[in-house]
Amino acid sequence: MVANRASVHFTFVPEFSPGLEGVVAAQTAVSEVDGANGRLIYRGGYLIEDLSPVVSFEEVAYLLWNGELPNKTQLDALCRQMSAARPLKDTARGTLMAMDPQTDLMDTLRTVVSAQGATKTLTKPTQEEAIALTAVFPSIVAAAYRRRQGKEIVEPRSDLTHAANLLWMMGDEEPPVERVHFLESYLVLLADHGLNASTFAARVIASTGSDLTSCVVGAIGALKGPAHGGATFAARTMLDKIGSADNAEKWLRDAHARHERFAGFGHRVYRTYDPRAKLLREMAKAAAPELHRTAARTEELALQILHESHPERPNATNVDFWASVVLTGAGIPKEMFTSLFATSRVAGWTAHVLESLADLRIIRPASVWTGPPPGKKPVPLASR
Amino acid sequence: MVANRASVHFTFVPEFSPGLEGVVAAQTAVSEVDGANGRLIYRGGYLIEDLSPVVSFEEVAYLLWNGELPNKTQLDALCRQMSAARPLKDTARGTLMAMDPQTDLMDTLRTVVSAQGATKTLTKPTQEEAIALTAVFPSIVAAAYRRRQGKEIVEPRSDLTHAANLLWMMGDEEPPVERVHFLESYLVLLADHGLNASTFAARVIASTGSDLTSCVVGAIGALKGPAHGGATFAARTMLDKIGSADNAEKWLRDAHARHERFAGFGHRVYRTYDPRAKLLREMAKAAAPELHRTAARTEELALQILHESHPERPNATNVDFWASVVLTGAGIPKEMFTSLFATSRVAGWTAHVLESLADLRIIRPASVWTGPPPGKKPVPLASR
């Protein structure tokens, strides 16, 4: 919530707000989701629609970590650091090779990141570590993807950007520039989003004084859930089931009659159209024309059906719906979607952890006891 | 907080409570920390001091998962399930072998648990998985410990209990019964503790619909921090520096003059003596007589010094202080302390996740924006 800090000190909240909805858990200058007005603000005060057309993922990561956009010298230095951190360490490579190639990509990512960041003694999170962890995500995701297909791992190239490297390591040839552009836009738009569940998980872990890898590994686990990062996969799966614009009405009416939720609609915070969804929608037609036709018709009808049955609810399209189309246009298969989300959001996770260090306090909430009153005496095993 | 649920609905809380102190984040019947009265209640309404003398770790885990203590048939079934789940899968073994033997044990545990629990498709948390994950912790911790020493890994035995297996796999001989007893008591006492930071991290991760391994891996990362699970190691390290009962006064007065915090004192929730610390203190003399002498004198003086400088503060000894003595008596070297804490608490983590499934709602709190007002226009890279 955007608030005048001097004037707002106390408010009346329910004792237990399920899911901590509306409960303030942090002060942050990394990003702000202004749900009422459909605005997403990145660090420094940039609206996402102003920022995304002019910056690369590397620039956004720099912004989230440092509070300002880099100049050419700073950006070059960052790119060199990321390039050096892209190869997997022996430990991480050995771990990847020990895993079943058909493992869920998020499980592989969780495990290999944990191995890549393992140290001999506890380290306090630093920006250098944030850069190194962010840099290695495409290498892990692409290597795991190629192993699934029984292909050799492709090494990163120092002459390519972060987004281009990901496509390069996935494929067998030079990635087409338009695909790199779609992927880049996706990575910029998803890089941070307030106190979403995975970022909050990272902050909870950081609050004990733990290391950055532990925070990132926990966040990967949170992102994996279908109510969070898994939603992009679900949106694409729904579009696959619908199959064509002509079939959208029948499919959606039938699904609605079965009380099935439409994937890609509704959000905890936004009460109007998600600005990221808007930007991705504009890009979707060029990215994947065929899928765009199905998606556009699906969106139109889904919003209509949802409005008919619950006119009081805000039910705008969320980022996952149009992200699934743009990622498809970037040449990303849907089983990689959640790990691509992680590849973007790791910039935000690490920025939040680094910010939280300035005033670290263990996050240890209270709970309400719903069990019986204390004092029941245990019966020894022999008498049970 | 123990509250009459029907009567308490609203309360006046500050808009932002750092560390979510006093903010209710869940309703739970798994355990309750009654800090005002120094009581810890386990599921079913058992006070920890009634429970711990009569139950094994396996029985407590069963209680936390099921809500009642097992009878002989139920306990035998659980022990068979745990026995079957104790060996490392090939993936986990390969991952362990890929890691530097000198890696922090918590980093190894985080990575190998992640590998052990990796699956091909997303699975909803089940009690069977909770049992399997809990069962495998001693195998990983002991194997990692032996690798550090350049020794062969020892396989678990089906005729030994959970606690005895841990000591068996660490050592080269049959574990002495008194050591097993001390370890068992520790494992029972630490198995759950309300919404502590690692348990809360597990619940945040579970709230997105993610899998149980992701929750446990995130919780391991949170526990690693020195403000949480790392505190037992810190307490033992302080006792090592003090060295003897005779040196306690000089060391503590000097440390206090340097404004150094005494490890093992103070807790967010308890306003009086931690009941677990009391039970462990009673056991400490028999467990490690020499270290007990130093610890007893240290406690006496530390409480005195803390009271002198801050008479208004509750500064009782916490569980970490006496746990460090009892674990020493159980034959556990201090570099394993945090991973032993995890070996106990995994029962609570998994019980909380399973409980949360009944009413799953994504944990996505709000934040307060402290950055500049939105609308700053980004300057293209060439002009920066």
Side-chain angles (χ1 to χ4, degrees), chain B residues 108-351:
Chain B
T108 303
L109 183 63
R110 185 187 66 209
T111 311
V112 179
V113 168
S114 182
Q116 176 84 359
T119 55
K120 292 181 189 178
T121 51
L122 178 67
T123 56
K124 201 179 150 171
T126 63
Q127 189 173 139
E128 288 62 45
E129 287 180 318
I131 293 167
L133 281 168
T134 302
V136 84
F137 268 52
S139 314
I140 298 171
V141 168
Y145 170 67
R146 289 188 62 95
R147 277 195 85 224
R148 262 174 109 94
Q149 303 177 300
K151 293 182 180 168
E152 288 293 305
I153 290 171
V154 175
E155 296 302 323
R157 272 166 50 183
S158 59
D159 63 323
L160 293 178
T161 65
H162 197 63
N165 253 311
L166 196 151
L167 294 176
W168 163 253
M169 290 186 280
M170 277 174 61
D172 300 291
E173 50 188 27
E174 195 75 20
V177 286
E178 63 277 15
R179 286 192 174 182
V180 176
H181 167 68
F182 298 133
L183 178 60
E184 184 97 52
S185 300
Y186 169 85
L187 293 175
V188 165
L189 290 172
L190 275 286
D192 202 42
H193 202 247
L195 276 201
N196 59 90
S198 57
T199 300
F200 184 52
R203 287 187 83 129
V204 171
I205 295 166
S207 81
T208 70
S210 195
D211 65 296
L212 190 58
T213 300
S214 289
C215 301
V216 167
V217 167
I220 291 170
L223 191 77
K224 187 185 168 191
H228 191 8
T232 321
F233 175 85
R236 175 61 207 272
T237 300
M238 186 181 79
L239 290 174
D240 288 347
K241 286 183 191 162
I242 292 171
S244 70
D246 291 344
N247 193 42
E249 179 137 26
K250 179 176 168 14
W251 195 93
L252 289 164
R253 296 265 173 217
D254 289 353
H256 190 63
R258 289 192 303 270
H259 304 287
E260 216 171 275
R261 275 192 69 173
F262 298 160
F265 295 87
H267 192 274
R268 164 83 60 96
V269 182
Y270 289 112
R271 291 292 163 258
T272 179
Y273 212 96
D274 183 329
R276 301 166 301 169
K278 188 160 169 257
L279 294 161
L280 290 164
R281 182 172 62 172
E282 286 162 11
M283 208 174 292
K285 195 168 187 173
E290 183 65 32
L291 188 59
H292 171 268
R293 246 191 314 281
T294 308
R297 181 75 182 131
T298 297
E299 180 184 42
E300 185 189 354
L301 287 160
L303 291 175
Q304 189 187 312
I305 293 166
L306 290 168
H307 183 73
E308 280 164 18
S309 65
H310 289 287
E312 77 290 359
R313 283 191 200 160
N315 256 318
T317 320
N318 64 34
V319 69
D320 302 297
F321 186 82
W322 287 109
S324 80
V325 183
V326 171
L327 282 176
T328 301
I332 309 288
K334 70 177 176 181
E335 68 267 27
M336 292 182 78
F337 282 2
T338 318
S339 59
L340 263 283
F341 195 161
T343 300
S344 169
R345 187 59 55 86
V346 62
W349 294 334
T350 51

Side-chain angles (χ1 to χ4, degrees), chain A residues 21 111 114 210 221 268 361-362, chain B residues 21 114 210 221 268 361-362:
Chain A
E21 185 161 356
T111 310
S114 182
S210 195
R268 163 84 60 95
R361 192 174 159 79
I362 191 165
Chain B
E21 185 161 358
S114 182
S210 195
R268 164 83 60 96
R361 192 174 159 80
I362 191 164

Side-chain angles (χ1 to χ4, degrees), chain A residues 26-45:
Chain A
Q27 297 179 317
T28 183
V30 180
S31 76
E32 163 70 7
V33 185
D34 178 6
N37 300 303
R39 297 191 302 183
L40 171 59
I41 308 156
Y42 273 8
R43 197 164 174 182

